[in-house]
Amino acid sequence: MSSKKRIFSGVQPSGNLHIGNYLGAIANWVKLQDSYESIFCVVDMHAITVPQDPEILRKKSIEIAKIYLAAGIDPKKSLIFIQSQVSEHAELMWILNTIAKMSELEKMTQFKDKSQKEGKEGAAVGLFDYPVLMAADILLYDTQVVPVGEDQKQHVELARDLAKRFNNKFGDTFIVPEVHIKKEGMRVMGLDNPEKKMSKSAESIYNRIELLDDAEMIRKKIRKAVTDSGSEIIYRDDKPALKNLINIYSSFSGKTPKEIEAMFVGKGYGDFKSELAEVIIAFLESFQARYNALSDKEVMKILNKGADKVRPIARKKLDEVKTKIGFIV
Ligand code: ATP
Ligand code: LTN
């Protein structure tokens, strides 16, 4: 392994990626790829833990890879690949399933949230087991650092616990990974409800600004975003909706919340919102130009090459694990 530490992360090819995914995860990866040996995955096996249309899933996997590239993930520096093309992920998951406990998985807030709709009884076993697959993703590559949004912290903790448990039982095998969460702007909240994070799977499209939204849609969504009582532009915890919008403004403009407050003294929500929309549009227009310049064919070439490069790393670790637990390799 090179002297650089290794990072691994992924996004599911489900729904439409939004500025929360970008600010909370992908933008951070772009920065980190210079100082870490980086592997970024399109986690389609995670996506099927809830029903997906096969054709849409295939399209979305390429779309996510294009988003990685348009955001600045450089295939010369980082490896990107599609999870289901490297079957070692599923194999390691099975083995980890035998040391993971029902009680640990029952504590996972994502499962609790996502199974709410259908009720726990109707939820797929894969949805329950999702964090174990994520642990397999991470542990297969001797990942040292996992850059994710705050909502994934609990899953990385499970990966740490499983790594330690396996090492205790069978001898040193896995690196115990650290979670890396970007400090500022780490949690983008829903535009329609500042109490909950912006999410791909939120029912209303007015919950989020999607990375592929056009200018008119962005203006409309920002206009409709909920605000707090009062009319001043101030950055305070007791004004969560406004705080969220100021955070978004700050992330895309590079200005601090204090500077933004100063810019809007004596002005109201209307002025602030229209400028906010323009700041987002300016960023997304250049992002979308890069996205549209990428062909499916060239992206598939990058993904196939990525899978070919990560497969031997994964195979080696899996063979080590299989040997340790008594399988014949
Ligand atoms: P879903 O609603 O289907 O769970 P999601 O929008 O939460 O989807 P994921 O694919 O689960 O998206 O997450 C991809 C990455 O984006 C993760 O690292 C996650 O932590 C981060 N992320 C997701 N939503 C936000 C958000 N609102 N703010 C900051 N980071 C986020
Ligand atoms: N569960 C994550 C996606 C994900 C991931 C991973 C992130 C799957 N495997 C491994 C980091 C490392 C999510 O929904 N954001």
Side-chain angles (χ1 to χ4, degrees):
M1 222 197 287
S2 77
S3 57
K4 282 184 183 172
K5 283 191 177 175
R6 182 174 285 156
I7 59 176
F8 183 104
S9 198
V11 173
Q12 302 183 63
S14 57
N16 294 332
L17 254 66
H18 49 75
I19 57 173
N21 299 126
Y22 175 76
L23 295 172
I26 302 170
N28 198 20
W29 305 354
V30 174
K31 284 201 199 122
L32 295 170
Q33 69 179 340
D34 288 320
S35 8
Y36 292 87
E37 196 186 301
S38 311
I39 307 179
F40 301 117
C41 188
V42 177
V43 291
D44 55 349
M45 288 160 64
H46 278 98
I48 61 162
T49 55
V50 296
Q52 302 291 342
D53 175 279
E55 272 325 306
I56 295 177
L57 180 63
R58 230 185 310 276
K59 265 218 202 99
K60 285 277 165 196
S61 291
I62 298 177
E63 183 181 302
I64 300 285
K66 277 192 192 172
I67 285 174
Y68 287 179
L69 295 165
I73 301 294
D74 179 353
K76 289 197 206 78
K77 297 180 191 160
S78 305
L79 293 173
I80 68 172
F81 74 104
I82 297 179
Q83 187 184 31
S84 62
Q85 294 194 329
V86 181
S87 56
E88 283 79 0
H89 289 248
E91 290 184 66
L92 179 59
M93 178 206 192
W94 180 253
I95 295 168
L96 294 177
N97 266 340
T98 64
I99 61 164
K101 295 177 191 153
M102 295 290 288
S103 57
E104 317 181 276
L105 294 180
E106 263 161 8
K107 277 192 235 139
M108 297 288 150
T109 46
Q110 180 174 295
F111 175 73
K112 287 193 224 161
D113 286 352
K114 287 200 177 176
S115 61
Q116 231 170 26
K117 250 192 239 154
E118 312 265 331
K120 202 170 118 190
E121 277 62 38
V125 175
L127 186 65
F128 183 66
D129 209 17
Y130 175 118
V132 180
L133 178 58
M134 181 160 159
D137 298 341
I138 296 168
L139 302 181
L140 258 186
Y141 299 98
D142 284 334
T143 304
Q144 283 142 307
V145 181
V146 186
V148 280
E150 210 207 9
D151 58 303
Q152 296 296 316
K153 195 171 162 202
Q154 204 186 17
H155 293 161
V156 180
E157 267 154 23
L158 177 78
R160 289 171 59 83
D161 291 342
L162 294 180
K164 288 185 210 156
R165 195 170 305 151
F166 189 97
N167 290 348
N168 276 335
K169 244 179 142 168
F170 300 104
D172 256 3
T173 310
F174 293 122
I175 303 256
V176 180
E178 305 286 335
V179 68
H180 181 288
I181 294 167
K182 197 170 148 235
K183 304 257 168 342
E184 79 286 355
M186 63 185 181
R187 200 153 196 243
V188 181
M189 308 312 282
L191 298 181
D192 57 348
N193 176 6
E195 305 298 323
K196 281 186 121 180
K197 74 163 189 150
M198 185 176 282
S199 157
K200 288 188 251 162
S201 48
E203 231 150 86
S204 166
I205 58 162
Y206 296 105
N207 166 270
R208 57 188 169 263
I209 303 281
E210 297 176 4
L211 293 174
L212 302 178
D213 274 346
D214 64 24
E216 252 339 284
M217 182 57 95
I218 295 169
R219 288 190 191 105
K220 192 166 168 197
K221 285 179 174 176
I222 294 293
R223 232 180 289 129
K224 275 175 119 34
V226 299
T227 41
D228 307 282
S229 56
S231 60
E232 278 173 283
I233 307 304
I234 32 173
Y235 187 76
R236 275 206 330 238
D237 285 344
D238 63 347
K239 301 209 176 283
L242 191 55
K243 187 177 173 199
N244 184 42
L245 295 179
I246 295 177
N247 277 335
I248 297 173
Y249 195 120
S250 167
S251 301
F252 284 116
S253 65
K255 294 189 166 70
T256 63
K258 276 258 157 301
E259 288 168 337
I260 296 165
E261 278 180 346
M263 282 166 61
F264 289 97
V265 171
K267 294 184 183 168
Y269 286 157
D271 292 320
F272 170 70
K273 279 183 161 184
S274 39
E275 282 203 36
L276 170 60
E278 297 315 309
V279 165
I280 301 172
I281 291 167
F283 172 81
L284 286 184
E285 271 178 354
S286 64
F287 171 85
Q288 289 169 11
R290 291 190 297 277
Y291 177 94
N292 289 325
L294 291 160
S295 74
D296 288 7
K297 204 169 146 207
E298 96 191 85
V299 173
M300 267 327 297
K301 216 166 130 191
I302 293 170
L303 287 168
N304 287 332
K305 209 163 143 192
D308 287 344
K309 287 215 169 137
V310 299
R311 216 175 271 118
I313 311 174
R315 193 73 235 165
K316 191 161 168 249
K317 182 56 66 178
L318 185 67
D319 281 349
E320 183 189 345
V321 170
K322 286 167 88 173
T323 306
K324 292 233 167 102
I325 63 171
F327 286 177
I328 299 171
V329 178

